[in-house]
């Protein structure tokens, strides 16, 4: 953890103590912290990728089924900027289909890693609908992505509990999760504009279960339906983490929270074909 991240966590501890949360509860929460990278359209950090832009693919790669959201130059990311086992180089392409009608019905995106040195060429792909039913059915945002670093804490208060209301029960290890999240959301920080959070924890508006763990359960059902490739090894929903959360700013979907998730085992194996994208939206 970088000195800056430790300073952020120390400030969080002080604010949480001032709210009357016990030191033991704070310590258990802080122990879950993950370093993350913010790739945003604001600031003066180094350029590490872009939103949208031309689609550059190897000649033998199939056409994507949804639109290019971002391209990340993995070699431009400093070591340790996240706790993800990302490839050291090449480009990571993230594709998105932010369709609210398909929430919970299937994968809302995909990802592709193109190894360094692979020849690529621009691929024209027309995925625009013949008519636009929603304001968000439009071009996705574009712009250079600049790096800044931070630390992430969880945005969930519950664990999966079938048969309970909303299939969730209070997190047994973190009974003050809701208060801790409220303290975290009041911490000072600068907005990144549109862009991505790479690594860390995904957020949804419910603050219920970890969105990446929920995505892992959806992914297992998709494998059973034959809609997603099977993993190479045994993978549990608890093994899934946030690959990226997208700050898209799409008209009509400003409050929709969209993320790509992947299991740690798939990351190590380079199985980006198993990335699973989800979205929550409370219009």
């Amino acid at each position: 953890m970088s000195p800056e991240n430790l300073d952020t966590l120390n400030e969080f501890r002080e604010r949480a103590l001032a709210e009357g949360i016990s030191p033991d509860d704070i310590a258990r929460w802080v122990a879950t912290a993950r370093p993350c990278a913010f790739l945003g359209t604001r600031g003066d950090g180094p350029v590490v990728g872009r939103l949208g832009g031309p689609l550059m693919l190897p000649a033998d790669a199939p056409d994507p089924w949804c639109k290019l959201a971002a391209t990340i130059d993995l070699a431009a990311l400093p070591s340790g900027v996240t706790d993800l086992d990302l490839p050291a180089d090449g480009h990571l392409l993230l594709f998105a289909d932010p369709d609210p009608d398909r929430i919970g019905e299937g994968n809302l995106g995909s990802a592709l890693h193109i190894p360094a040195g692979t020849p690529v060429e621009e691929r024209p792909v027309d995925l625009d609908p013949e008519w636009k039913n929603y304001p968000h059915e439009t071009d996705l945002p574009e712009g250079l992505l600049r790096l800044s670093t931070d630390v992430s804490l969880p945005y969930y208060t519950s664990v999966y509990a079938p048969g309970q209301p909303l299939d969730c029960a209070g997190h047994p290890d973190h009974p003050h999760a809701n208060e801790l999240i409220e303290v975290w959301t009041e911490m000072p920080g600068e907005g990144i504009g549109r862009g991505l959070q790479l690594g860390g924890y995904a957020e949804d508006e419910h603050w219920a279960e970890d969105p990446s763990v929920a995505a892992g359960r959806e992914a297992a059902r998709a494998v059973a339906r034959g809609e997603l490739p099977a993993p190479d090894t045994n993978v549990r929903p608890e093994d899934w983490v946030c690959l990226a959360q997208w700050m898209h700013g799409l008209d009509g979907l400003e409050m929709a929270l969209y993320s790509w998730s992947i299991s740690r085992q798939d990351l190590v194996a380079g199985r980006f074909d198993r990335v699973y994208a989800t979205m929550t939206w409370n219009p």
Side-chain angles (χ1 to χ4, degrees), residues 35-49:
C36 64
F38 285 125
L39 315 182
T41 55
R42 298 176 184 168
D44 56 3
V47 173
V48 295

Side-chain angles (χ1 to χ4, degrees), residues 1-10:
M1 201 71 73
S2 70
E4 294 79 11
N5 287 350
L6 293 175
D7 288 343
T8 299
L9 293 175
N10 285 334

